[in-house]
Amino acid sequence: MTNDPTNAIRYLAARLASAREVAILTGAGVSAESGIRTFRDAADEATRTMAGLWKDFDPAKLATPEAFDADPALVTRWYDLRRRGCLAAIPNAGHVALADIQRRVEAGGGRFTLLTQNVDRLHHRAGSAGVVELHGSIIQWRCTLTGQKLTPDAAEFRALPCPSPFDARGLLRPDVVWFGEMLPEAALDAAEAAIKSCDVFISVGTSAQVFPAAGFVRAASANGAFTAEVNREPTPISGLVDACLHGASGELLPRLLAAAWPSR
Ligand code: BJW
């Protein structure tokens, strides 16, 4: 294991450049430099880190199906505020580097899977293709009864009743995965397939505390993949990965890209 940033970048870059199949898991940290609050960070002026959402808000009162049942208007207001923040945000250099890494791997005949816990769609907007959204999307909403999906525009979103002509008793809720809910089956299948067959697995900007995603690195490692972490601080998986890059993903990922494909 190496965790000197320059050595770790070189070490990981060599594995990345020669990989047949790469899987990358991202979390809220990758969007922090776009101004989107993470969930569990402590505020830190030195690194310009904003306090995570769970410092000011109780997940049990906002991010569970029970919370929505108890007060749908409150949950809708909170998610709509965040939704509009995501629409206003701009992908950062970390998102762009991940899209470039995907293009490089695929141009060399390799396979690439981007698994994200993020609901902000910034990877899509940075040009990543086939993004697997493990925790859904805040940009899209769905009816609690019909499942009908809807993408509201950027204006404030107040419409609680489902607009479906088929069942007006439903409510619109964000199409995200709350605590205690199952992840989308297709996303889990895609993650399982990538974990089984990748030879390089990288975890970026996640505290590795929320399951099942928190178990992916260990599973990839058990399947023989070379594993790495890119994160601002150590996490529960730091001790088990083959390379640790500690710092901001918006700085480290472009360096990793340049080290892996220097002719760029
Ligand atoms: C930077 C940076 C920079 C900052 N550069 N880095 C097994 C054991 C124990 C519990 C469970 C288990 N299996 C299931 C559970 C229950 C539960 C769970 O995991 N609970 C844990 C908290 C213990 N999981 C679930 O309920 C999941 N469902 C499920 O498993 O269904 C089956 C089942 C149900 C019930 C029981 C058993 C089985 C669903 C999880 C859904 C998570 N939903 C949320 C909200 C989404 C909607 C919304 O946006 O509001 O998803 S919670 C929140 O956490 C969000 C995130 O996607 C997720 C992960 O957070 P993430 O991305 O890691 O962010 P942070 O803030 O934690 O970390 C950011 C990191 O970035 C930090 O480390 C920083 O240092 C770093 N960073 N700036 C690089 N610039």
Side-chain angles (χ1 to χ4, degrees), residues 63-96:
T64 64
E66 294 77 18
F68 185 71
D69 289 344
D71 195 343
L74 171 77
V75 173
T76 297
R77 270 203 309 280
W78 191 67
Y79 274 93
D80 183 53
L81 196 68
R82 287 180 50 211
R83 177 187 72 90
R84 285 182 283 130
C86 293
L87 287 174
I90 294 169
N92 65 57
H95 296 109
V96 173

Side-chain angles (χ1 to χ4, degrees), residues 28 33 39-40 79 82 135 177 180-181 206-207 211 231 249:
E33 288 154 270
F39 295 91
R40 298 169 185 81
Y79 274 93
R82 287 180 50 211
H135 294 166
V177 180
E181 292 188 316
T206 172
S207 61
F211 288 85
N231 208 63
S249 50

Side-chain angles (χ1 to χ4, degrees), residues 26-33 37-41 47 49 52-54 59 62-63 78-79 82 116-119 135 138 176-183 204-212 214 229-235 247-250 252:
T26 63
V30 84
S31 294
E33 288 154 270
R37 284 174 76 176
T38 63
F39 295 91
R40 298 169 185 81
D41 273 309
T47 54
T49 303
L53 287 166
W54 297 159
L62 292 161
W78 191 67
Y79 274 93
R82 287 180 50 211
T116 188
Q117 299 170 86
N118 298 345
V119 297
H135 294 166
I138 203 170
V176 299
V177 180
W178 283 323
F179 284 115
E181 292 188 316
M182 292 300 291
L183 277 62
V204 185
T206 172
S207 61
Q209 291 185 38
V210 176
F211 288 85
E229 172 176 65
V230 178
N231 208 63
R232 209 188 266 286
E233 60 189 14
T235 74
S249 50
L252 292 173

Side-chain angles (χ1 to χ4, degrees), residues 13-255:
R15 302 303 291 246
L16 195 54
S18 61
R20 286 174 296 102
E21 181 159 348
V22 176
I24 298 189
L25 168 70
T26 63
V30 84
S31 294
E33 288 154 270
S34 294
I36 296 181
R37 284 174 76 176
T38 63
F39 295 91
R40 298 169 185 81
D41 273 309
D44 177 16
E45 274 185 34
T47 54
R48 281 190 261 143
T49 303
M50 285 185 284
L53 287 166
W54 297 159
K55 278 258 178 287
D56 296 330
F57 302 99
D58 178 356
K61 293 199 176 117
L62 292 161
T64 64
E66 294 77 18
F68 185 71
D69 289 344
D71 195 343
L74 171 77
V75 173
T76 297
R77 270 203 309 280
W78 191 67
Y79 274 93
D80 183 53
L81 196 68
R82 287 180 50 211
R83 177 187 72 90
R84 285 182 283 130
C86 293
L87 287 174
I90 294 169
N92 65 57
H95 296 109
V96 173
L98 287 174
D100 278 346
I101 289 173
Q102 173 167 16
R103 280 191 281 272
R104 288 285 169 166
V105 170
E106 290 176 349
R111 287 171 52 148
F112 183 96
T113 307
L114 182 59
L115 306 165
T116 188
Q117 299 170 86
N118 298 345
V119 297
D120 55 36
R121 293 253 159 110
L122 288 182
H123 286 306
H124 300 69
R125 288 168 54 201
S128 288
V131 182
V132 177
E133 293 181 316
L134 297 163
H135 294 166
S137 164
I138 203 170
I139 305 302
Q140 187 168 278
W141 292 52
R142 73 166 193 267
C143 173
T144 50
L145 284 184
T146 63
Q148 189 190 348
K149 310 232 181 191
L150 174 141
T151 304
D153 65 23
E156 190 175 348
F157 176 56
R158 289 174 187 276
L160 280 173
C162 173
S164 164
F166 307 111
D167 199 331
R169 291 167 306 158
L171 293 180
L172 283 176
R173 57 157 284 180
D175 195 23
V176 299
V177 180
W178 283 323
F179 284 115
E181 292 188 316
M182 292 300 291
L183 277 62
E185 206 176 308
L188 280 177
D189 288 348
E192 195 183 324
I195 289 164
K196 270 195 186 141
S197 52
C198 69
D199 42 4
V200 172
F201 187 102
I202 310 175
S203 173
V204 185
T206 172
S207 61
Q209 291 185 38
V210 176
F211 288 85
F216 289 176
V217 165
R218 189 178 291 276
S221 179
N223 280 324
F226 179 91
T227 57
E229 172 176 65
V230 178
N231 208 63
R232 209 188 266 286
E233 60 189 14
T235 74
I237 60 161
S238 304
L240 73 90
V241 294
D242 299 301
C244 267
L245 278 63
H246 285 153
S249 50
E251 289 167 27
L252 292 173
L253 292 172
R255 284 173 65 192

